[in-house]
């Protein structure tokens, strides 16, 4: 685990299972139906229990780059912020802009609820095939930029699912945060 300080705000990077994070909100890498799936989406729905899907059914889906919020139910986290990352199509279909929007819109939604701590998985880098290094740079830049003017959010956790992904985020953040 490694921590970076942006003023009085904190970015923490660690390896783990995001469903076990005791933060105010965890972010789900969902699909546009918001009706569950595999990967982190599947893990979050399994850990949260069936009420999560029931609430998701009322949301009417979610566009790529957008974010919607639900309760966390049986998760330690109070909220789940569902966002839909872009499918990687070679980088000429606004993927960078849409991926950045996932982070910014999730953080904006967290601020609206007065959320103080939020954990992100590596959105779009699994089934959606986004190149991991480019995605880590987009995630880091979006979060660092947001924390410089955040009001309620003071801790952002990047939860990686493997050591190599963790080391990549540490390298990318070491480059950005002195
Ligand atoms: N905790 C943290 N990270 C996890 C976990 C977990 N429990 N499970 C998987 N991950 C990591 C993966 O290793 C990957 O780095 O989350 C990242 C995102 O991978 P996916 O879950 O495949 O998400 P994504 O690439 O955004 O694809 C979304 O997959 O599960 C479906 O319904 C989802 O259709 C949507 C698509």
């Amino acid at each position: 685990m490694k921590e970076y300080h942006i003023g009085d705000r904190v970015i923490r990077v660690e390896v783990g299972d995001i469903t076990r994070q005791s933060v105010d909100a965890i972010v789900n890498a969902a699909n546009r139906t918001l009706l569950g799936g595999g990967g982190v989406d599947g893990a979050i729905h399994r850990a949260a229990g069936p009420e999560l899907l029931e609430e998701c059914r009322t949301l009417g889906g979610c566009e790529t780059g957008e974010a919607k919020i639900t309760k966390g139910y049986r998760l330690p986290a109070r909220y789940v912020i569902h966002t839909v990352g872009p499918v990687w199509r070679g980088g000429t279909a606004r993927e960078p802009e849409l991926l950045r929007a996932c982070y910014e819109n999730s953080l904006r939604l967290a601020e609206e609820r007065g959320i103080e701590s939020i954990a992100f998985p590596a959105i779009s880098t699994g089934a959606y095939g986004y190149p991991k290094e480019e995605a880590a740079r987009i995630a880091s830049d979006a979060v660092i930029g947001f924390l410089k003017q955040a009001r309620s959010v003071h801790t952002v956790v990047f939860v990686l699912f493997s050591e190599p992904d963790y080391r990549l985020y540490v390298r990318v953040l070491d480059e950005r945060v002195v």
Side-chain angles (χ1 to χ4, degrees):
M1 187 273 281
K2 188 164 183 181
E3 283 196 352
Y4 300 84
H5 294 270
I6 314 289
D8 61 345
R9 314 288 159 136
V10 175
I11 293 176
R12 191 158 67 239
V13 191
E14 58 186 76
V15 184
D17 175 350
I18 199 166
T19 66
R20 310 194 51 75
Q21 286 285 318
S22 296
V23 289
D24 295 337
I26 61 169
V27 175
N28 181 22
N31 60 57
R32 291 175 64 238
T33 71
L34 292 186
L35 300 181
V40 71
D41 195 5
I44 288 173
H45 276 272
R46 273 194 302 280
E51 299 101 320
L52 177 60
L53 182 57
E54 279 168 34
E55 184 174 1
C56 284
R57 286 194 202 288
T58 69
L59 297 178
C62 184
E63 286 306 312
T64 300
E66 300 297 318
K68 291 192 178 177
I69 192 166
T70 65
K71 291 192 283 293
Y73 299 103
R74 299 177 195 169
L75 286 162
R78 189 162 162 226
Y79 295 104
V80 181
I81 291 176
H82 306 262
T83 191
V84 180
V87 176
W88 177 253
R89 291 191 170 84
T92 57
R94 299 175 55 225
E95 294 98 317
E97 172 192 336
L98 288 166
L99 184 59
R100 185 179 179 97
C102 286
Y103 289 90
E104 290 177 340
N105 286 327
S106 297
L107 288 161
R108 198 168 294 130
L109 209 47
E111 287 272 303
E112 282 169 17
R113 297 293 178 103
I115 283 166
E116 296 180 350
S117 58
I118 179 169
F120 284 96
I123 299 165
S124 279
T125 66
Y128 281 4
Y130 211 109
K132 289 179 183 275
E133 176 142 3
E134 184 51 30
R137 292 178 190 285
I138 290 169
S140 304
D141 289 341
V143 167
I144 289 166
F146 191 91
L147 284 180
K148 286 178 177 162
Q149 46 78 44
R151 291 185 308 283
S152 66
V153 173
H154 65 63
T155 302
V156 175
V157 191
F158 286 121
V159 183
L160 287 317
F161 214 41
S162 73
E163 277 296 327
D165 289 1
Y166 168 78
R167 287 196 295 274
L168 166 60
Y169 265 73
V170 165
R171 179 159 53 78
V172 167
L173 282 160
D174 282 352
E175 287 168 4
R176 282 160 170 69
V177 184
V178 290

